[in-house]
Amino acid sequence: MTIASARSLVEILSRGKLLEPDQLAELIRTLPARPADPLSLARELLQRGWLTPYQINQLFQGRAADLVLGHYVLLERLGEGGMGQVFKAREQRLGRIVALKILRKELVKPDLIRRFHQEIQAAARLSHPNVVHAYDAEQVGDAHIFAMEYIAGIDLSRLIKQSGSLPVPQACEYIRQAALGLQHIHEHGMVHRDIKPANLIRATHGEVIKILDMGLARLLDDDADEAPATKLTRLGVVMGTIDYIAPEQALNSHRADIRSDLYSLGCTFYFLLTARVPFPLDEPMAKLLAHQCDEAVAVEQLRPEVPARVLAIVGKLMAKRPDERYQTPAELVLDLAALTPPVAQATVPAGQVVRPSPPPLAIPIASAVPSVSPGGQASRRKSPSRRSKLWIAIAVILSPLLIGWLVHLFRAPAVQNRQDVGPTASSPKEILRNSLGMKLVRIPVGEFFIGSEKREPHHRPNEAPSHQVTITEPFYLGANLVTVGNFRAFVKATNYRTEAEKAGDTRPGHYWLKPGWEQSDDYPVACLSWNDAKAFCDWLSKKESRTYRLPTEAEWEYACRAGSTSAYSYGPDAKKLSEYAWYRGNSGEKAHRVGQRKPNRWGLYDMHGNLLEWCSDYYDAKFYDKVDLIDPHGPHHGSERVLRGGSWNSEAHECRCAYRCANKPTEHRNDRGGFRVLLVSTE
């Protein structure tokens, strides 16, 4: 059903039971007083927390039916693994929030599905604070789904990638809690078979560690129809877990017992302490052989401060022979408890969701908005005088007429010419500097038109159709491109070898130290691949315990436009480009120091030129045909990554806000490409 009006949106929400009954009743009651624009209503429901960005994007792409599976309403996509996709969902019967895993269709075989239900039934009997509870498994149409306890938090693999190795007491406590969960599993005669950092989640509330995917790992690793060698190389089965697999389990999965899980827990302990897997080899078979025959680099070589008693525990867990390891998780718990007192565990009720009580749906009244001082604090209201009361009365009487006139004044031209519309987000006011001295500008939430219309000079098909989209989370963006000095600090700290060096290609124009022009530390770093740019972001994230990444192309264009709907951030006139960018018309065929031209209205330099900028998204020439309306992201797969902006070698029209191109993430590393970083806001 096409969503042509607010009423049709409400009908779809009602038919799919996408809102809770009281929410739907309030929405229907206030509908006659609401504007007919369905997207405006959707954005309001997003702000109120009644719909999620994922749901809105699915609704406006005509996929409302995909949001309901049986009695589950999908809320957001959490991830994807060897078994299938995982969603946060609401169970309509009980109103609880669950994590819903949808099995890959290629796994749906009669024998496997039968054992799938058996395993989940067995896992559902487990009940322990350190094990994620399994709720239900069922078939809906041709989809097989598994519902489990939803825990808001972060898995330990992501935690280490973001923050680096853990303090020793914290790592010991996390392993102790995982061992408590494993002991409960062991007492029920079960084996997990896939213990790894990604299957241990730390709850947001409290330092509670829970074991994920009980029942699923055994299912994957116990397919009697396949030989062990086949299972070890099958996509999604062991490739993600081979870094933690016990020697005897790799040879024969049926030989795995609780001591195999303890070996995997030992490898996980090693990872938490060192931020690296025990055997960081490239080839899967080489990893398997290493688990059988080799000793990992000693923890004390990587972390000299780790106490000898902790080193002994890691060594015992990772013993090659099962009879030389701890024989039960309870033994491990006793040794770890003697090292550090347990952290108080906050109880996290399964599926608990705290909802703020929303205000009634109604047309906002201007006089209800508190005044704000220049410093951002709400000012204290004084008792109004008779004259103030008179002006307030006049404002209340005239405000509907004034609002109507303003809507007519600004909305009508928006249909005819979007260039007359000003920014919908307030200008950034906050700037910070990070540990490298990089200046980052806070970019606020807001709406903008992504892409370009056909009437824009030099419009290209891959920029259409233009859509109004919403950015719902603020972020910080580098005021400048990453510089030679910034990247030099990274290389010095890590001995990083770029893609060009790995390929033996250090020719001028291909290698960051030989871009083809004289340079100093305040020049933008060039000749880097997408992989090089990502490696820099990962290092900076670990260094500062904050999340840095490349911007999506939607975030990049939103920041570039800075509220403008013209071809350029400053307006439509290409003749003024020399004031804001280095391009073919003024560059002298080379890049220039950062910050030499004018910034855009949000304080960002070189967005239109100097160097092309890598974005995080995969490239799709027809992406704008199916662009999400809320926080757009590119496709999940592809062979090329997006580049935005222009370079010192670009024509003026290639420096427009909407201009987009792409290249291979490894192979493209020439003197026209660079990048800037995005810092995820913690608000």
Side-chain angles (χ1 to χ4, degrees):
M1 178 178 178
T2 303
I3 304 178
S5 66
R7 185 172 298 278
S8 62
L9 174 59
V10 173
E11 289 176 2
I12 292 175
L13 296 176
S14 175
R15 187 181 306 116
K17 298 182 180 179
L18 299 179
L19 297 180
E20 295 185 358
D22 57 337
Q23 296 172 343
L24 183 62
E26 187 172 349
L27 184 57
I28 292 174
R29 178 175 58 80
T30 60
L31 187 60
R34 309 200 56 76
D37 177 26
L39 190 53
S40 296
L41 176 58
R43 289 192 174 105
E44 182 178 342
L45 297 179
L46 173 68
Q47 292 174 353
R48 296 173 65 80
W50 292 8
L51 291 178
T52 66
Y54 175 79
Q55 289 177 314
I56 291 174
N57 291 327
Q58 294 292 97
L59 286 167
F60 281 86
Q61 291 177 27
R63 300 173 185 164
D66 295 340
L67 291 172
V68 180
L69 269 177
H71 48 272
Y72 294 100
V73 176
L74 305 188
L75 301 177
E76 61 181 280
R77 186 177 181 273
L78 297 177
E80 186 170 359
M83 287 293 290
Q85 296 186 85
V86 185
F87 291 87
K88 181 180 178 182
R90 183 178 71 250
E91 187 179 13
Q92 293 175 319
R93 296 176 302 184
L94 302 177
R96 67 183 172 189
I97 302 299
V98 304
L100 194 70
K101 183 162 285 191
I102 304 174
L103 293 188
R104 292 184 182 278
K105 291 185 178 180
E106 57 266 31
L107 296 178
V108 179
K109 303 174 184 177
D111 182 61
L112 186 142
I113 292 302
R114 177 181 56 79
R115 289 188 292 108
F116 166 65
H117 287 279
Q118 291 174 350
E119 293 292 342
I120 300 307
Q121 288 172 6
R125 292 196 292 269
L126 300 174
S127 180
H128 191 273
N130 298 114
V131 180
V132 169
H133 190 64
Y135 289 144
D136 189 22
E138 62 180 287
Q139 180 176 353
V140 180
D142 61 351
H144 291 265
I145 60 177
F146 165 44
M148 60 191 133
E149 178 185 6
Y150 171 74
I151 301 295
I154 184 171
D155 69 66
L156 297 190
S157 177
R158 288 177 55 207
L159 177 65
I160 298 302
K161 289 176 182 177
Q162 291 182 10
S163 306
S165 57
L166 298 179
V168 174
Q170 188 178 27
C172 290
E173 174 58 18
Y174 288 0
I175 295 300
R176 187 191 72 86
Q177 290 190 41
L180 286 170
L182 277 179
Q183 179 64 25
H184 181 73
I185 292 169
H186 174 54
E187 289 169 357
H188 282 73
M190 302 177 72
V191 183
H192 189 286
R193 304 197 201 191
D194 196 20
I195 295 295
K196 58 183 178 180
N199 272 342
L200 300 177
I201 187 169
R202 186 187 72 182
T204 300
H205 301 288
E207 293 282 295
V208 181
I209 300 299
K210 288 178 175 275
I211 299 174
L212 289 167
D213 273 2
M214 191 60 219
L216 294 186
R218 176 183 172 88
L219 177 72
L220 274 176
D221 203 28
D222 197 28
D223 194 335
D225 295 333
E226 297 191 39
T230 305
K231 286 186 287 185
L232 288 174
T233 57
R234 189 175 56 183
L235 177 63
V237 176
V238 183
M239 293 301 292
T241 62
I242 200 170
D243 285 314
Y244 306 93
I245 194 169
E248 68 278 7
Q249 183 178 341
L251 293 175
N252 185 344
S253 63
H254 295 279
R255 292 174 55 188
D257 58 23
I258 196 64
R259 296 172 299 177
S260 306
D261 283 346
L262 287 170
Y263 178 92
S264 300
L265 190 62
C267 294
T268 299
F269 202 176
Y270 185 101
F271 179 75
L272 299 187
L273 291 169
T274 66
R276 56 176 276 176
V277 296
F279 303 107
L281 304 171
D282 293 331
E283 296 298 326
M285 290 307 299
K287 289 178 185 285
L288 288 173
L289 289 173
H291 280 292
Q292 299 290 330
C293 308
D294 299 340
E295 297 297 329
V297 174
V299 172
E300 59 266 32
Q301 292 185 29
L302 305 171
R303 290 276 301 273
E305 74 276 17
V306 176
R309 293 177 67 184
V310 175
L311 298 175
I313 291 173
V314 175
K316 188 171 182 177
L317 283 168
M318 294 179 62
K320 302 297 182 185
R321 296 178 53 183
D323 57 1
E324 294 177 354
R325 301 175 202 149
Y326 291 98
Q327 298 303 291
T328 67
E331 296 176 17
L332 171 61
V333 170
L334 290 175
D335 273 3
L336 288 172
L339 286 174
T340 176
V343 176
Q345 296 187 5
T347 303
V348 183
Q352 176 175 322
V353 179
V354 179
R355 296 180 183 275
S357 299
L361 263 174
I363 299 173
I365 300 174
S367 61
V369 180
S371 60
V372 178
S373 66
Q377 300 296 323
S379 60
R380 295 182 179 179
R381 296 184 180 275
K382 297 181 180 179
S383 225
S385 63
R386 288 186 61 190
R387 181 174 295 180
S388 317
K389 291 178 180 178
L390 178 61
W391 280 112
I392 291 172
I394 293 173
V396 170
I397 293 170
L398 294 180
S399 59
L401 297 175
L402 179 61
I403 292 171
W405 176 74
L406 288 173
V407 169
H408 175 76
L409 181 64
F410 289 105
R411 189 174 182 181
V415 177
Q416 301 169 9
N417 186 351
R418 291 184 331 192
Q419 294 180 1
D420 295 332
V421 181
T424 59
S426 59
S427 297
K429 299 175 182 178
E430 187 176 340
I431 294 174
L432 61 82
R433 288 190 180 273
N434 66 9
S435 61
L436 298 182
M438 301 169 68
K439 185 167 74 171
L440 297 117
V441 179
R442 184 181 182 278
I443 307 300
V445 300
E447 301 170 358
F448 78 109
F449 282 92
I450 193 171
S452 67
E453 296 180 333
K454 290 183 178 180
R455 65 167 179 260
E456 183 172 298
H458 301 286
H459 162 88
R460 303 169 76 222
N462 71 348
E463 301 166 10
S466 178
H467 290 283
Q468 186 178 18
V469 301
T470 301
I471 300 296
T472 65
E473 298 290 340
F475 57 90
Y476 288 87
L477 193 65
N480 294 299
L481 291 152
V482 173
T483 65
V484 173
N486 300 149
F487 199 76
R488 195 189 305 277
F490 162 51
V491 172
K492 183 177 180 180
T494 62
N495 294 317
Y496 179 77
R497 294 178 70 241
T498 64
E499 296 286 357
E501 291 173 284
K502 294 175 185 176
D505 186 4
T506 56
R507 295 170 295 164
H510 294 254
Y511 178 42
W512 72 281
L513 289 174
K514 301 176 183 177
W517 53 78
E518 293 183 8
Q519 64 176 356
S520 59
D521 279 358
D522 54 356
Y523 273 77
V525 64
C527 307
L528 295 178
S529 70
W530 185 91
N531 288 349
D532 295 330
K534 183 180 183 299
F536 176 88
C537 293
D538 292 343
W539 168 75
L540 193 54
S541 297
K542 181 177 179 180
K543 182 177 186 294
E544 297 190 353
S545 298
R546 297 189 288 187
T547 302
Y548 286 87
R549 59 174 172 81
L550 297 173
T552 65
E553 63 170 321
E555 291 165 337
W556 187 95
E557 186 174 332
Y558 175 59
C560 176
R561 289 188 177 280
S564 170
T565 54
S566 301
Y568 305 93
S569 63
Y570 57 81
D573 188 2
K575 295 178 181 179
K576 294 180 63 177
L577 183 60
S578 290
E579 299 178 27
Y580 294 85
W582 297 107
Y583 70 110
R584 187 173 294 183
N586 68 347
S587 68
E589 299 185 353
K590 64 176 183 178
H592 291 258
R593 291 182 176 87
V594 299
Q596 301 299 299
R597 304 282 90 178
K598 289 182 180 179
N600 69 5
R601 284 181 285 181
W602 286 357
L604 304 172
Y605 294 85
D606 295 330
M607 295 296 286
H608 291 298
N610 217 3
L611 291 178
L612 286 162
E613 302 183 25
W614 285 115
C615 293
S616 62
D617 292 341
Y618 285 106
Y619 176 74
D620 181 351
K622 296 184 177 180
F623 172 54
Y624 287 8
D625 285 335
K626 49 200 172 189
V627 68
D628 291 340
L629 301 177
I630 308 291
D631 298 324
H633 284 266
H636 296 298
H637 306 284
S639 59
E640 296 181 316
R641 297 282 185 172
V642 173
L643 287 154
R644 298 299 297 258
S647 79
W648 57 266
N649 193 44
S650 298
E651 299 288 354
H653 66 85
E654 295 172 328
C655 299
R656 294 174 297 112
C657 296
Y659 184 82
R660 54 197 300 260
C661 58
N663 223 309
K664 302 285 186 182
T666 301
E667 300 168 11
H668 180 75
R669 46 180 186 271
N670 64 31
D671 55 6
R672 295 182 291 278
F675 68 104
R676 74 179 70 221
V677 297
L678 180 148
L679 170 63
V680 176
S681 175
T682 57
E683 295 179 13

